[in-house]
Amino acid sequence: MHGDDGMPSARWEAELTRVGALSDRELQVFALLGAGLSNRGIATRLQVTERTVKAHVASILTKLEVESRLQVGLVAQAHQLMYEGTVSNSSDVIDN
């Protein structure tokens, strides 16, 4: 897909630039996908329906211009690595 210089973020550089287009709730779903949660797990964590999570996932796929939730998870992992240490606590992801 992209050239790889050994850094996870390099492989997903274009997609990482589009993360800023995500809404606050989509960012929460994005982070939870990166943590490996299922739609059901995300719905439980965010106290929304699975249908709502599916809608957020579809929107994230479109905005990041990726083809699968696996790719979203990989972009989320690269994003986390890039900003590791700049966020006080990963539990902030689920605060409403």
Side-chain angles (χ1 to χ4, degrees):
M1 178 173 263
H2 298 286
D4 188 3
D5 66 359
M7 297 297 296
S9 59
R11 174 164 287 205
W12 300 106
E13 187 174 347
E15 292 81 358
L16 285 165
T17 64
R18 294 188 276 270
V19 171
L22 301 178
S23 70
D24 289 343
R25 184 58 107 180
E26 289 167 345
L27 283 169
Q28 291 175 321
V29 173
F30 172 74
L32 293 170
L33 285 168
L37 273 70
S38 65
N39 285 357
R40 179 172 287 166
I42 294 169
T44 299
R45 199 84 166 265
L46 298 179
Q47 298 179 332
V48 297
T49 66
E50 283 186 65
R51 184 175 180 178
T52 298
V53 173
K54 287 179 186 180
H56 287 309
V57 171
S59 180
I60 292 166
L61 289 168
T62 299
K63 288 181 179 180
L64 296 183
E65 298 179 27
V66 296
E67 298 175 5
S68 70
R69 65 183 290 125
L70 173 59
Q71 289 177 332
V72 171
L74 293 171
V75 174
Q77 287 288 313
H79 187 264
Q80 180 182 3
L81 287 172
M82 281 181 56
Y83 297 103
E84 193 172 83
T86 62
V87 177
S88 62
N89 187 337
S90 62
S91 66
D92 293 343
V93 167
I94 60 169
D95 291 343
N96 290 326

